[in-house]
Amino acid sequence: MANLTGEYKNNLDEKGRVSFPSKLRASLEENTLMITRGVDKCLWVFPMQTWNEFLEKVMDQASLFQAQSRSVLRRLVAPAQEVEIDKQGRISVPQSLREYAGLEKECIILGISKYLELWSVDNYNLYLEESETDFLKASEALGNVCFG
């Protein structure tokens, strides 16, 4: 699978569907995706193979006897739903996930190599503003990364 990268702005229609840019669709090997709650009030969208690998790793680390594990399973695994990319290149975002992410109209789709994030424009802009200091610290920590 090619890298899923880029930042795209699209609108959610009245039926809760959002168009996926053709560049992203071309990078996918199939039309079935898994969508679930992400961290930071966004949705995570995975190609099925990537979702299955992610799910296996999460389940291998999770213990039903640990509260933190149960929390992750309930918030990431349980709400996950399969969605299909239709002939017009759209996915239908389930109502419960739209509510979680505050998706109403304007959306941002971020390609993050192996998965995608779906944000409301307002939540994304707020996230960028609030996380600027953390980003600068994280950038400094990558000081040894260089091009050779």
Side-chain angles (χ1 to χ4, degrees), residues 41-90:
K41 288 292 190 184
C42 71
L43 300 178
W44 288 345
V45 183
F46 294 89
M48 290 306 294
Q49 181 179 344
T50 305
W51 169 256
N52 290 332
E53 292 167 4
F54 172 76
L55 181 61
E56 184 176 336
K57 289 177 183 178
V58 169
M59 296 306 293
D60 283 348
Q61 296 293 315
S63 169
L64 298 180
F65 298 103
Q66 293 178 330
Q68 288 179 332
S69 290
R70 291 192 306 273
S71 180
V72 168
L73 296 175
R74 289 173 183 150
R75 291 173 186 260
L76 297 181
V77 176
Q81 296 187 45
E82 234 178 76
V83 293
E84 296 277 334
I85 300 173
D86 68 16
K87 291 182 193 310
Q88 286 76 39
R90 304 170 298 195

Side-chain angles (χ1 to χ4, degrees), residues 12-123:
L12 199 67
D13 71 14
E14 65 282 347
K15 294 182 180 179
R17 298 174 301 199
V18 65
S19 291
F20 265 55
S22 58
K23 180 182 180 248
L24 292 177
R25 290 193 315 266
S27 296
L28 297 169
E29 295 175 358
E30 58 184 304
N31 285 337
T32 304
L33 302 168
M34 190 65 79
I35 187 169
T36 192
R37 290 179 182 174
V39 178
D40 300 317
K41 288 292 190 184
C42 71
L43 300 178
W44 288 345
V45 183
F46 294 89
M48 290 306 294
Q49 181 179 344
T50 305
W51 169 256
N52 290 332
E53 292 167 4
F54 172 76
L55 181 61
E56 184 176 336
K57 289 177 183 178
V58 169
M59 296 306 293
D60 283 348
Q61 296 293 315
S63 169
L64 298 180
F65 298 103
Q66 293 178 330
Q68 288 179 332
S69 290
R70 291 192 306 273
S71 180
V72 168
L73 296 175
R74 289 173 183 150
R75 291 173 186 260
L76 297 181
V77 176
Q81 296 187 45
E82 234 178 76
V83 293
E84 296 277 334
I85 300 173
D86 68 16
K87 291 182 193 310
Q88 286 76 39
R90 304 170 298 195
I91 64 165
S92 182
V93 182
Q95 178 69 31
S96 61
L97 296 177
R98 289 196 313 260
E99 290 172 5
Y100 166 78
L103 297 175
E104 293 177 3
K105 188 70 176 165
E106 289 185 301
C107 301
I108 298 285
I109 300 169
L110 298 176
I112 307 185
S113 188
K114 294 186 178 190
Y115 76 101
L116 303 160
E117 290 184 346
L118 181 58
W119 291 80
S120 77
V121 167
D122 292 340
N123 283 351

